[in-house]
Structure formats: C-alpha cells, structure tokens
Amino acid sequence: MTSLATCDRLTVRYPGAARPALADLTLALHAGEKLAVVGESGSGKSTLARALAGLLPVGTALSGAIRWSGPPPRPGRDIGTVFQDPGASLDPLLTVGAHLVEGLRAPLPLGRAEARARAAALLARVHIPDPERALAAWPHQFSGGQAQRIAIALAIAAGPHLLVADEATSALDVLVQAEIVALLRELCRDAGMTLLFITHDIALAGTLADRVAVLHDARLVEIGPAARLLAAPREPYTRALLAAQLDLASPRLVGTRP
Amino acid sequence: MPRLLRRVATRLLGSIPVLVIVVVGVFLLLNSAGGDAVDAYLLSIGGGDAQQAEELRIRFGLDQSVTARLALTLAQLARGDLGYSVALNRPIGAVIAERLPNTLWLMGSATALSFALGSALGVLAGRRPGSAADRLLSAGSLFLYSIPNFWLGLVLSVVFAVRLRWLPVSGIETIASGKTGLARAADIAQHLVLPVSALGMIYLALFLRVMRAGMVEAWGQDYTLAARARGVAPWRITLNHAARNALLPLVTMLGLQAASMLGGSVVIESVFGIPGFGRLAQEAVAGRDGPLLMGVILVSALMVVAANLLVDLAYGALDPRVGGPR
Amino acid sequence: MIRELLRRPEALLGGLLLLLIAGAALLAPVLSPGDPLAIAGRPLVRPFTDPAFPLGTDGLGRDLLAGVIHGVRTSAAIGLAAALVAVLAGMLVGTAAGFAGGLVDEALMRVVDAFQIVPGFLLALAFVSVTGPSLAVVAIAIALGAWTGPARLSRSRVLALREADFVAAARVMGMHPAEIALRQVMPLALPPVLAVTAVIVAGAILTESALSFLGLGDPNAVTWGGMIAEGRNQLRSAAYLSIIPGIALVLTVISIYLVGEALTDVLAGKRQS
C-alpha cells in the first residue's frame, strides 16, 4: 500500500497560542483509503486537516514535516476541502454557478462557457435536482444538506486525489448526515479518491472509514483498522470515547459497513 | 417591479408620522423663542412703530394662538407649501429650489469621492490586516477623522487658493463670467474642488475604517477559507469575496451619514461662500426667520428619508438574502 | 487592563496627549492667569518669535497660548457635558422603550427616528438660535443630535434582558416596573453605550467648534472655533491665527479617539477570553 502523505513528528502552534495545537504527530495517509480522524474539540483534528490542506493561518509555527509521495499538492487542484457549516462556507453574495465557475477556473485552464457547462455536470454528480436552475440560485435558497452537496461539488471540481472533510456532517441532522456520508463514499469509490474524514463521532467514523485515528490533547492516541479499533480499543482514552458515545447512541441510523 | 414599488410606498408612508413629529417638534422649539421674524425684520430695516408690527403680524398670521398656527402650518406643509420668508421677502419653496442644486452638487461629489476612495483604500488596508499598509492607512484615517471640516477647508484654501493660487477661494462659480455649457461646468467643478475635499475627507476616513472592518470580518468567515481551499487566487478572494461582502455595511453607513453630511455642508458652505441650502439655514437663524428654518429642516429631513430609501434599494440589489427585485 | 493599554503604542501616545490636555484644562488659571480675552501685548506677534508669547498674539494683541489653554476648558466642559446628557437621556428613553414595549416603544422609537432624520447640526443651530448661546445651551443643543445612538443601543440590550429570570423574580417580589427598569436593567445596558461614549465626546467637541465658528458659541468663553473664526479675517496675512487653535482641536479629538479605541479593544478582548 503506497502512502499519499506522511506526517513526521508534526508540531503546529498557532500565533499567540501557549500550547501547540498538534504535537509530535506521526501518521501515514494511504493512497485510496478512507481515514477518519476522531477527537473532541480542541484535540487538534481540524488542525491536522488544515495542515494537510495547506490552510493554516499566516504566522503559524510548524515543525516536523509533511512528506507527499508526489510533488507538493496545490489546494483546489490536488486537495478538495469540505467544511462544517455549508451555510458559512458558501459566499452569500455569489450564485451557486458563480462559485462553481470560479472554483473550476482557479485550478483548471477553462473558458467561462466551458466551466459553466462542467458546473452543471458537477451538480448532477452530487445529486442536486435540476442543476441548470440551481446554478442561478443563491446559497441561502438551499437546505443545509443541499448546500453541503454544493460545497462537495466545489471541493471535487478539479478532480483532486485527496478529499478532506472537516466535520462535514456535524452541522446536519442525522438523516441528512447519512445521505452525505453515502455521497462521500460513492464519490471516493468512483474517482478513487483518498478521504480524510474529520469527526467527533467515533461511531460514524467506524461506519465510513477503513482506518480510524484517535487524537486527544494535540497528540495521536491510537490508530488502526476501523473494525479492530471499535471492537477492541487498545487505549483507555479510546475506550472512554466509545463508552461516552454508546451511552448516547440510539438505534443506528447511519448505514452499516458495506 | 410592483413589489419594489410597494416597498417604496410602504417606506414613504411609514416616514410620514416621523415627519409630522419633526414638524411639531421644530414648531414648538421655534415658538418658544422670544421675539419673532417681525421684530428681527423691523430691526433690520431700522425699526418701525407698533402699528406697523401689528399689521405685519396679521399679514403673516403671527397674531393667532400657538395651536391654531401649528394646525395651519401642518395643513400648509401637507399641501406642499413651505410658506413665505419674511426675512427674504420671497416664497420659501422658491428660495430652497434655487439653493438646493449647489448643495446637492457639493454633497453628491463629496459622497462619490469619499465612497470611491474610502472603499478602495479600505480594501488596501483590509487586504492583509496588520500589514504595514494597514497600519499606515488606519493611523492616517484616524487622523483625518479627527480634523474639523471647516478648519480643513480654511487650511486647504490658504494653501491651494491663497498661496498657490491654483483654485478659487470662494463661491460656486466665477461671477458674471458669461461662461456657458462645458466652460461653465468646468468653472463650477473648479470651485467645488476645495469644498468637496474639505467636506468629504472625514467620510473618506470613516468609509475606509468601515470597509477595513468589513474585510477583517470577511477574513474570519468560512467562505474566504473555502475559497483558499479551492485554490482561488488571493487577489480574487480579496475582491470577489471579502470586498464584496464588506461593501454591505458600507452601503448601510452611507445612509446613516446623509444627515451628518447635510449638517457639515452648512459649515462648509459658510467657509467657501457657496450660496447653497446649508447657508440658507444660517441665514434663517441670523434673520430669526422661523418659517424659513422650518422649511430648511423639513426639506433636510425629506432628503435624509430619500437617501435612506435609495440606500435600502441598493442594499436589496446587492444582497440576495434581502427581498430584492428578484 | 492598564498594563495591556500600555503595551499599545498608539494608546500610550493618545493617553499622554490626553493627560497633557486634561492638565492644561485643570491648571489653566495657574498656567495662564488673568483674562485670556484681555489685550496682553503688541498685536500680530508671530509664533515662536517672542518668548513672552510663544504662540504669538492676534490682531488685538491677545495671547494665543492663553487662548488655546483656556479654550481647552470650554471644549472639555462642553464635550463631557453634552456626552453626559446624551448618554443619560438616551439610556432613559431606550430603557423605557425597550422595557415598556408595545405602543410606548413604538411612539418613543418614532421620536428617535425623527431626531435621526434631522441633521444634528441644524437642530443644534436652531436650538442655540432660539435659546441664546451659553455653555449649558450649547451642550444641550449638541446632545439633541447625539442621544439617539445610546437610545438605540440600550433599547436593544433591554429588549434582550426583559425576559431574563432576574426580572421575573423582581416582578414576583412586587417591585415596581419602573424600579426594575431603572435599577436592575438599565445598569446592564451601560457597557455597549460606554463603548461609544468616546466617539460621542469627540463628536461633541467637533460640533461645538463648528457652532462657535459660525458665531453661535458662548460669547463669554474662549472657544477654539471662535478663535479660528476670528483668525479667518487675517487668513492671507496671518494664517497661524486660525491654524494654531485648529491643531489644538485636532490633537484633542485624536487623543480621545486613540484612548477610546484602545479601551474598546481591550474590553472586547476581555469579553472574548
């Protein structure tokens, strides 16, 4: 199994912060896999996503290294990112079409008309009904789930080989969450994309991912195949996380592993 | 379109009670004064006897009770009749119509200048908050914001009109120059450079600060981060996302400043000897001409209402979330 | 908090300036005894030429430095008084509107609207011309155009607080609504209003100077606006007469903005963390 990227003793400290947001993290991301990173808020899981996607704010201190198997990736072209709140990650003043045309033309040498034609196809690919009409609509006219589909269409516009989903389902209700998870699974399967799935929901991570990494207090606690990690966690923290989740767990609404 | 018209109509109807409050308030204020326009008028023509004063008072309805005159005033204003100026011996509506264009040119140019420059510099400052350009522009705007407009006008006229003789010292156009058409327009534009700069500078500073704050706000939003994640070029994120969103609070601010700018033009017109609407307010005060002052204040209020209506419509067109003409 | 303020160079600069200005205001009778409007020497002494008159004299031979030092008292007194009246009146109206709600709120807010669509400066002009110029009148005239901001701010804060538990508890205890509004709710609406107070003071000082410039200031007090207006007649020959009091005005206003901005920043930072 070839690795797409390797974090080697990666430490990230935000400007003005007393403690690092990510400390001494060593982790490999395999090409084509679905890796879920689980942790509570402040565990550093989103920092890991942003470090990989090249989205850390200016002035962030980075030590250690991220090694890529190929040339350093460019955001948009090689890595697509989906954020937590679809309402906030779309510019309220631009139509869906304008978003897609801009997102397509940034990494790809496309004319306006060409980009427009591809935009409709992208919306169809994430199962937005009536793509032509959706292109002319504004972000606020869509439900959270639909808006997240549009955000996903934007993230995969240039055909990246890595998709980073940063709490991409956390703001949605359970049923919509399941739909988005199904969509992510379908897109990864069809395009052979690698998925980095950031979530606080260890059960959800288990149903979607091939491997699960658990982060706590800026450090990697445990990493392993999803089935093994959920069935027989090695670390006490993972057990505690699972126990806390199971207390809350109602009957499973999210689809089972294929 | 009918929806748009309906919105305009609702807004205008809603402002009627507010305008009535303005009229009643100003009326009561003006009537609490000792001495009236007749006293001031007689004083200005070198005095007159009691009988003459009495005749004048009857002629202008000043002999009736306060409530009767308030009712008369309201009825008269509702008909669109602003009354008659004792001090100028002319219908107030005609005087205002004659003076208003000068002030509208002054204010319109000052607004255009401060809005264009202020928003452009605000984008420059807010492009990278904390950068050297930002610190310089932010400090500079705070300084500009602290300068009283009339003093700035005097300093500008000392430098550019008195010392360098590049621009005229005062007036709205060269008197009896016989210029017409384009030559006259150029002449007026030349006369407006200094007053417009003096009036507009403080708003330039204000708009710069509002625009910058809007940009800083936008940088904290997910949509700018998401655009970065899509590989959109930085200049494009700055202009197409951050600046576009930062423009919305600026447009709101534009409406809020209409009243303040009208007040500023009173002083600026006095500094530069521009026979405008603002100077009329001062003349009304000097001549103790209550009806004239009432007319000036009411027309100002109407202008502010109109400015806010325009801003509202512009906002609706800019922000798809507001029920615009779509 | 003070330490945090000292770490900002612009706040430090503004603070020092403000201290200097406040010192001049308080010590004016000591620094420059006697009537600043009295003739003190030769007319039109240029600034920085005569040690007896560091800033020179005006066309009548009055000491410009004395004028500037005494002028700060007028500016400060009117700026603070106008801001105090505006904040008090605004908070009372805003609290009443927000707490009473319904028709009272509707009526009071239309009055606020009315004050907002009339240019504050025109209103001040009309008020002073009717009542006659004195320091108190000028302060009130300026407050007429400045109280609507505090009114709106405190109203929205009170609206948010009206349904709070402690208000319900006070009602159950049988407190009079007016007492609840004034003693329990209004103080909580103070912070957002205080945040804009520096801007109100600075704005009041600027408005006062414009009124005095147009000859509507208190004729018995030295005002910077009045000095600028008098110097205007000699703008061609002795521009310093207008320029010097203007610089004093700019420095005063900018120091208030600098300190006010730093205070707002520090307070906002405090709330966030």
Side-chain angles (χ1 to χ4, degrees), chain B residues 219-240:
Chain B
W219 292 129
Q221 299 289 324
D222 273 358
Y223 57 78
T224 50
L225 185 68
R228 255 179 77 198
R230 294 198 294 272
V232 179
W235 67 266
R236 220 190 140 86
I237 304 180
T238 302
L239 293 181
N240 207 21

mmCIF file of all heavy atoms in Angstrom, chain B residues 219-240:
data_model
loop_
_atom_site.group_PDB
_atom_site.id
_atom_site.type_symbol
_atom_site.label_atom_id
_atom_site.label_comp_id
_atom_site.label_asym_id
_atom_site.label_seq_id
_atom_site.Cartn_x
_atom_site.Cartn_y
_atom_site.Cartn_z
ATOM 1 N N TRP B 219 -12.515 37.953 6.463
ATOM 2 C CA TRP B 219 -11.393 37.005 6.559
ATOM 3 C C TRP B 219 -11.651 35.965 7.635
ATOM 4 O O TRP B 219 -11.072 34.884 7.611
ATOM 5 C CB TRP B 219 -10.079 37.726 6.840
ATOM 6 C CG TRP B 219 -9.604 38.571 5.704
ATOM 7 C CD1 TRP B 219 -9.218 39.872 5.772
ATOM 8 C CD2 TRP B 219 -9.452 38.198 4.340
ATOM 9 N NE1 TRP B 219 -8.855 40.336 4.535
ATOM 10 C CE2 TRP B 219 -8.986 39.331 3.644
ATOM 11 C CE3 TRP B 219 -9.675 37.014 3.627
ATOM 12 C CZ2 TRP B 219 -8.738 39.319 2.272
ATOM 13 C CZ3 TRP B 219 -9.421 37.004 2.269
ATOM 14 C CH2 TRP B 219 -8.963 38.141 1.616
ATOM 15 N N GLY B 220 -12.482 36.297 8.605
ATOM 16 C CA GLY B 220 -12.781 35.332 9.653
ATOM 17 C C GLY B 220 -13.895 34.368 9.262
ATOM 18 O O GLY B 220 -14.224 33.456 10.013
ATOM 19 N N GLN B 221 -14.487 34.569 8.082
ATOM 20 C CA GLN B 221 -15.606 33.732 7.668
ATOM 21 C C GLN B 221 -15.112 32.516 6.899
ATOM 22 O O GLN B 221 -14.081 32.559 6.231
ATOM 23 C CB GLN B 221 -16.563 34.533 6.774
ATOM 24 C CG GLN B 221 -17.169 35.733 7.450
ATOM 25 C CD GLN B 221 -18.178 35.354 8.505
ATOM 26 O OE1 GLN B 221 -18.914 34.388 8.348
ATOM 27 N NE2 GLN B 221 -18.207 36.102 9.600
ATOM 28 N N ASP B 222 -15.898 31.448 6.959
ATOM 29 C CA ASP B 222 -15.516 30.211 6.276
ATOM 30 C C ASP B 222 -15.426 30.381 4.762
ATOM 31 O O ASP B 222 -14.653 29.706 4.108
ATOM 32 C CB ASP B 222 -16.531 29.100 6.599
ATOM 33 C CG ASP B 222 -16.155 28.368 7.880
ATOM 34 O OD1 ASP B 222 -15.105 28.708 8.454
ATOM 35 O OD2 ASP B 222 -16.908 27.468 8.291
ATOM 36 N N TYR B 223 -16.240 31.295 4.194
ATOM 37 C CA TYR B 223 -16.253 31.334 2.728
ATOM 38 C C TYR B 223 -14.930 31.826 2.136
ATOM 39 O O TYR B 223 -14.579 31.436 1.024
ATOM 40 C CB TYR B 223 -17.446 32.128 2.173
ATOM 41 C CG TYR B 223 -17.571 33.556 2.634
ATOM 42 C CD1 TYR B 223 -16.793 34.559 2.099
ATOM 43 C CD2 TYR B 223 -18.495 33.893 3.611
ATOM 44 C CE1 TYR B 223 -16.909 35.863 2.522
ATOM 45 C CE2 TYR B 223 -18.629 35.196 4.042
ATOM 46 C CZ TYR B 223 -17.830 36.173 3.502
ATOM 47 O OH TYR B 223 -17.944 37.461 3.927
ATOM 48 N N THR B 224 -14.194 32.679 2.883
ATOM 49 C CA THR B 224 -12.881 33.057 2.354
ATOM 50 C C THR B 224 -11.886 31.900 2.500
ATOM 51 O O THR B 224 -11.071 31.655 1.620
ATOM 52 C CB THR B 224 -12.328 34.323 3.046
ATOM 53 O OG1 THR B 224 -12.405 34.156 4.452
ATOM 54 C CG2 THR B 224 -13.089 35.542 2.629
ATOM 55 N N LEU B 225 -11.996 31.168 3.610
ATOM 56 C CA LEU B 225 -11.131 29.995 3.807
ATOM 57 C C LEU B 225 -11.442 28.941 2.744
ATOM 58 O O LEU B 225 -10.540 28.346 2.149
ATOM 59 C CB LEU B 225 -11.353 29.428 5.209
ATOM 60 C CG LEU B 225 -10.446 28.280 5.623
ATOM 61 C CD1 LEU B 225 -9.022 28.776 5.779
ATOM 62 C CD2 LEU B 225 -10.932 27.642 6.920
ATOM 63 N N ALA B 226 -12.736 28.752 2.486
ATOM 64 C CA ALA B 226 -13.144 27.758 1.491
ATOM 65 C C ALA B 226 -12.632 28.150 0.101
ATOM 66 O O ALA B 226 -12.219 27.297 -0.675
ATOM 67 C CB ALA B 226 -14.662 27.610 1.477
ATOM 68 N N ALA B 227 -12.649 29.444 -0.187
ATOM 69 C CA ALA B 227 -12.140 29.889 -1.487
ATOM 70 C C ALA B 227 -10.640 29.610 -1.580
ATOM 71 O O ALA B 227 -10.137 29.205 -2.628
ATOM 72 C CB ALA B 227 -12.420 31.379 -1.687
ATOM 73 N N ARG B 228 -9.922 29.811 -0.475
ATOM 74 C CA ARG B 228 -8.492 29.472 -0.451
ATOM 75 C C ARG B 228 -8.321 27.985 -0.721
ATOM 76 O O ARG B 228 -7.430 27.570 -1.455
ATOM 77 C CB ARG B 228 -7.910 29.814 0.924
ATOM 78 C CG ARG B 228 -7.058 31.062 0.938
ATOM 79 C CD ARG B 228 -6.561 31.325 2.352
ATOM 80 N NE ARG B 228 -5.454 30.458 2.725
ATOM 81 C CZ ARG B 228 -5.081 30.252 3.993
ATOM 82 N NH1 ARG B 228 -5.733 30.826 4.984
ATOM 83 N NH2 ARG B 228 -4.064 29.476 4.267
ATOM 84 N N ALA B 229 -9.176 27.190 -0.069
ATOM 85 C CA ALA B 229 -9.066 25.740 -0.228
ATOM 86 C C ALA B 229 -9.334 25.318 -1.664
ATOM 87 O O ALA B 229 -8.870 24.274 -2.105
ATOM 88 C CB ALA B 229 -10.046 25.050 0.713
ATOM 89 N N ARG B 230 -10.084 26.121 -2.413
ATOM 90 C CA ARG B 230 -10.356 25.775 -3.811
ATOM 91 C C ARG B 230 -9.252 26.271 -4.728
ATOM 92 O O ARG B 230 -9.334 26.108 -5.932
ATOM 93 C CB ARG B 230 -11.686 26.400 -4.253
ATOM 94 C CG ARG B 230 -12.893 25.833 -3.545
ATOM 95 C CD ARG B 230 -14.169 26.141 -4.294
ATOM 96 N NE ARG B 230 -14.478 27.558 -4.336
ATOM 97 C CZ ARG B 230 -15.171 28.186 -3.412
ATOM 98 N NH1 ARG B 230 -15.595 27.525 -2.342
ATOM 99 N NH2 ARG B 230 -15.438 29.464 -3.519
ATOM 100 N N GLY B 231 -8.246 26.942 -4.146
ATOM 101 C CA GLY B 231 -7.133 27.409 -4.958
ATOM 102 C C GLY B 231 -7.422 28.704 -5.689
ATOM 103 O O GLY B 231 -6.748 29.042 -6.653
ATOM 104 N N VAL B 232 -8.442 29.448 -5.248
ATOM 105 C CA VAL B 232 -8.758 30.731 -5.873
ATOM 106 C C VAL B 232 -7.623 31.714 -5.555
ATOM 107 O O VAL B 232 -7.099 31.733 -4.434
ATOM 108 C CB VAL B 232 -10.106 31.270 -5.349
ATOM 109 C CG1 VAL B 232 -10.427 32.617 -5.964
ATOM 110 C CG2 VAL B 232 -11.215 30.264 -5.647
ATOM 111 N N ALA B 233 -7.245 32.511 -6.549
ATOM 112 C CA ALA B 233 -6.116 33.429 -6.380
ATOM 113 C C ALA B 233 -6.416 34.446 -5.273
ATOM 114 O O ALA B 233 -7.557 34.905 -5.148
ATOM 115 C CB ALA B 233 -5.843 34.157 -7.688
ATOM 116 N N PRO B 234 -5.396 34.811 -4.473
ATOM 117 C CA PRO B 234 -5.618 35.738 -3.354
ATOM 118 C C PRO B 234 -6.298 37.041 -3.757
ATOM 119 O O PRO B 234 -7.208 37.513 -3.071
ATOM 120 C CB PRO B 234 -4.200 35.999 -2.834
ATOM 121 C CG PRO B 234 -3.428 34.775 -3.201
ATOM 122 C CD PRO B 234 -4.019 34.278 -4.492
ATOM 123 N N TRP B 235 -5.877 37.628 -4.888
ATOM 124 C CA TRP B 235 -6.487 38.909 -5.273
ATOM 125 C C TRP B 235 -7.969 38.727 -5.567
ATOM 126 O O TRP B 235 -8.788 39.592 -5.307
ATOM 127 C CB TRP B 235 -5.767 39.518 -6.477
ATOM 128 C CG TRP B 235 -5.912 38.742 -7.757
ATOM 129 C CD1 TRP B 235 -5.056 37.804 -8.228
ATOM 130 C CD2 TRP B 235 -6.988 38.818 -8.711
ATOM 131 N NE1 TRP B 235 -5.515 37.284 -9.407
ATOM 132 C CE2 TRP B 235 -6.704 37.883 -9.738
ATOM 133 C CE3 TRP B 235 -8.162 39.576 -8.795
ATOM 134 C CZ2 TRP B 235 -7.538 37.685 -10.837
ATOM 135 C CZ3 TRP B 235 -8.999 39.371 -9.892
ATOM 136 C CH2 TRP B 235 -8.683 38.449 -10.891
ATOM 137 N N ARG B 236 -8.286 37.539 -6.089
ATOM 138 C CA ARG B 236 -9.682 37.270 -6.423
ATOM 139 C C ARG B 236 -10.506 37.081 -5.163
ATOM 140 O O ARG B 236 -11.645 37.529 -5.081
ATOM 141 C CB ARG B 236 -9.746 36.004 -7.283
ATOM 142 C CG ARG B 236 -10.755 36.129 -8.379
ATOM 143 C CD ARG B 236 -11.016 34.851 -9.088
ATOM 144 N NE ARG B 236 -12.449 34.842 -9.320
ATOM 145 C CZ ARG B 236 -13.017 35.407 -10.377
ATOM 146 N NH1 ARG B 236 -12.286 35.968 -11.287
ATOM 147 N NH2 ARG B 236 -14.335 35.393 -10.509
ATOM 148 N N ILE B 237 -9.926 36.417 -4.154
ATOM 149 C CA ILE B 237 -10.640 36.259 -2.882
ATOM 150 C C ILE B 237 -10.855 37.632 -2.263
ATOM 151 O O ILE B 237 -11.930 37.956 -1.759
ATOM 152 C CB ILE B 237 -9.850 35.354 -1.917
ATOM 153 C CG1 ILE B 237 -9.565 33.998 -2.568
ATOM 154 C CG2 ILE B 237 -10.630 35.160 -0.619
ATOM 155 C CD1 ILE B 237 -8.788 33.050 -1.683
ATOM 156 N N THR B 238 -9.804 38.465 -2.342
ATOM 157 C CA THR B 238 -9.898 39.805 -1.761
ATOM 158 C C THR B 238 -11.040 40.598 -2.386
ATOM 159 O O THR B 238 -11.884 41.153 -1.684
ATOM 160 C CB THR B 238 -8.575 40.563 -1.970
ATOM 161 O OG1 THR B 238 -7.521 39.811 -1.370
ATOM 162 C CG2 THR B 238 -8.633 41.939 -1.344
ATOM 163 N N LEU B 239 -11.063 40.629 -3.728
ATOM 164 C CA LEU B 239 -12.045 41.486 -4.393
ATOM 165 C C LEU B 239 -13.421 40.833 -4.490
ATOM 166 O O LEU B 239 -14.441 41.445 -4.178
ATOM 167 C CB LEU B 239 -11.559 41.852 -5.796
ATOM 168 C CG LEU B 239 -10.323 42.740 -5.845
ATOM 169 C CD1 LEU B 239 -9.946 43.049 -7.280
ATOM 170 C CD2 LEU B 239 -10.571 44.039 -5.077
ATOM 171 N N ASN B 240 -13.441 39.577 -4.914
ATOM 172 C CA ASN B 240 -14.718 38.950 -5.244
ATOM 173 C C ASN B 240 -15.471 38.476 -4.004
ATOM 174 O O ASN B 240 -16.691 38.383 -4.021
ATOM 175 C CB ASN B 240 -14.472 37.774 -6.199
ATOM 176 C CG ASN B 240 -15.658 37.501 -7.082
ATOM 177 O OD1 ASN B 240 -16.497 38.386 -7.281
ATOM 178 N ND2 ASN B 240 -15.758 36.299 -7.590
#
